Amino acid sequence: MTDIQPVVPPARSAGRGFRAYSAKHLDMLVQRAGLPLEERLAVRAVATVLPFRTNSYVVEHLIDWNAAPDDPIYRLVFPQPDMLPAADVRRLADMIDGGAPEAGLRAAAHEIRMRLNPHPAGQLLLNAPSLHGRPLPGLQHKYPETVLFFPRQGQTCHAYCTYCFRWAQFVDEPDLKMATDDIGTLVAYLREHPEVTSVLITGGDPMIMGEAVLRRYIAPLIDPQNGLDHLESIRIGTKSLAYWPQRFVSDPDADATLRLFGEVVASGRTMALMAHFSHPRELEPPVLAEAVRRIRGTGAVIRTQAPLIRSINDDPLAWRAMWRTQVRMGMVPYYMFVERDTGPQDYFAVPLARAYEIFREAYQGVSGLARTVRGPSMSATPGKVCVDGVTEVAGIKVFVLHMIQARDPRLVGMPFFARFDPDACWLTDLEPVFASRFPFEPARYEAVPDELPGLWPDEPGELMVPAI
């Protein structure tokens, strides 16, 4: 194809003053939390399966080491000994303690990872687009109006969250990764799909990239010569404001990055940072306030979101404080998510009934400006499902739910009911009530083929609405 542009070259380092800590530093760091040798070994065992990375800013400015290992920010970034089944942790710890060969550890870690649902909600099978019959790795197209783009150089983060549903991007499993450096293919795909109004650049964290690399991905999207007038917004999913706000203040290319944001705004499009804040403490440092001020000065908007995580932010007062502070700083509360059914979900999950009560109590204590937030929301296979409440209908206790977003646009906004289950943590734990099936389920179940087609094929009219 003649319109394909060259691939984007590698990214630069994260920025002056940035110091990353990886698994090789883990034992030294957890000693600071006062963990005994046996627990430190268990932490190392978990870190052979799930990724670990943090940095000097998180370690020195966000974690309260006097409260570790119970400190919420510590728990946010450091593996916990009981995040995996005890038998798996013992097996790995014995291998580490016994000096097992690296190949044996990798094999054991791989076997455990494959049981952790590394790509929930049909990401690889159901969301993968194609162009002229050619699959497009590094792109996801789940909803008609939104395309997700995974730049190859942005598939790491300033620090990893222990609950991250994209953990598979960060481990030594090449077959699990989604990434591309081919911006030309994205442009060509968007030309073929005028229904797409928004591109979400995601990862990992795209803000790990330097301005020069980030520009090579963004500039073609706003170049008038590329004919993408239907594109209304560019979004960047990022945790950088919480984990390295210096990216927008003192990094060598901070000013250039802000100029790039301004260019997107000047092109007539919305530039939005989808910022992840998991705990009120992440909002306290003065450098964060300065980063927010500078970003907003470009005309870009900052919307905030995070999942509800047991032992980290399962407290309505924490969410109320976050939303109030975010509004005061000029950010827009956007989503409270339910922890996805992947990785150590059983460890971090909060039952849907409790999640609704936390959301409701937090929501009651904020002004209308913070009530832009939606949740608790599950990003499940059929779409984003919001828990609107718990009530009784015809003497039956039920969850009231609706589709915030859906693969099938006809389902957006549709309310439905599920039988109340106090232990349910995810959509697949629920049963329909007052109907034989949920609205997103097909009328009858059929055998699932070995290979499922992409959601967005070349020919229109082939929309597939799968059962979950």
Side-chain angles (χ1 to χ4, degrees), residues 76-305:
L76 180 61
V77 294
F78 280 85
Q80 305 302 307
D82 48 351
M83 279 170 56
L84 297 175
D88 290 333
V89 175
R90 281 195 304 271
R91 174 189 172 197
L92 292 168
D94 289 344
M95 293 178 71
I96 294 171
D97 195 36
E102 190 66 27
L105 268 175
R106 284 199 302 268
H110 171 80
E111 185 270 325
I112 296 169
R113 286 172 188 148
M114 294 306 101
R115 291 190 256 119
L116 296 179
N117 189 22
H119 281 301
Q123 291 181 104
L124 293 185
L125 289 177
L126 304 180
N127 303 346
S130 62
L131 183 65
H132 306 309
R134 179 167 63 97
L136 304 179
L139 273 69
Q140 295 278 296
H141 195 178
K142 183 175 181 178
Y143 307 124
E145 64 279 355
T146 305
V147 163
L148 275 62
F149 182 70
F150 295 78
R152 189 174 305 281
Q153 301 89 341
Q155 300 315 304
T156 185
C157 298
H158 295 95
Y160 296 148
C161 298
T162 44
Y163 62 72
C164 183
F165 81 97
R166 291 246 170 87
W167 62 269
Q169 292 286 91
F170 313 133
V171 296
D172 185 23
E173 301 280 356
D175 292 342
L176 298 182
K177 298 181 188 296
M178 296 179 287
T180 182
D181 52 9
D182 188 353
I183 184 62
T185 293
L186 172 62
V187 170
Y189 183 77
L190 293 174
R191 284 202 199 106
E192 295 286 326
H193 289 272
E195 76 275 13
V196 176
T197 60
S198 184
V199 169
L200 172 57
I201 303 173
T202 186
D205 193 328
M207 295 314 305
I208 203 80
M209 299 187 294
E211 183 273 340
V213 179
L214 189 63
R215 175 175 291 277
R216 292 188 182 107
Y217 285 119
I218 290 179
L221 303 180
I222 62 175
D223 186 342
Q225 296 183 9
N226 284 332
L228 302 181
D229 293 343
H230 55 285
L231 195 62
E232 298 170 359
S233 64
I234 296 172
R235 292 181 273 174
I236 296 176
T238 183
K239 183 77 176 176
S240 58
L241 277 165
Y243 282 167
W244 188 251
Q246 294 91 326
R247 178 67 186 84
F248 308 98
V249 178
S250 57
D251 270 13
D253 56 353
D255 290 346
T257 299
L258 297 176
R259 284 193 294 270
L260 177 60
F261 292 173
E263 290 172 30
V264 175
V265 175
S267 76
R269 297 171 173 87
T270 292
M271 178 73 229
L273 265 68
M274 317 307 292
H276 292 238
F277 292 104
S278 305
H279 190 270
R281 196 181 303 154
E282 297 171 322
L283 297 159
E284 293 175 2
V287 66
L288 180 274
E290 178 64 7
V292 170
R293 186 192 66 78
R294 285 168 61 84
I295 292 167
R296 293 185 64 229
T298 70
V301 298
I302 304 171
R303 292 181 179 266
T304 64
Q305 55 192 28

Side-chain angles (χ1 to χ4, degrees), residues 44-67:
R44 290 172 59 196
V46 173
T48 64
V49 176
L50 298 168
F52 169 75
R53 175 181 168 93
T54 189
N55 67 65
S56 53
Y57 174 79
V58 175
V59 167
E60 300 301 334
H61 297 285
L62 296 184
I63 294 174
D64 179 359
W65 288 99
N66 291 324

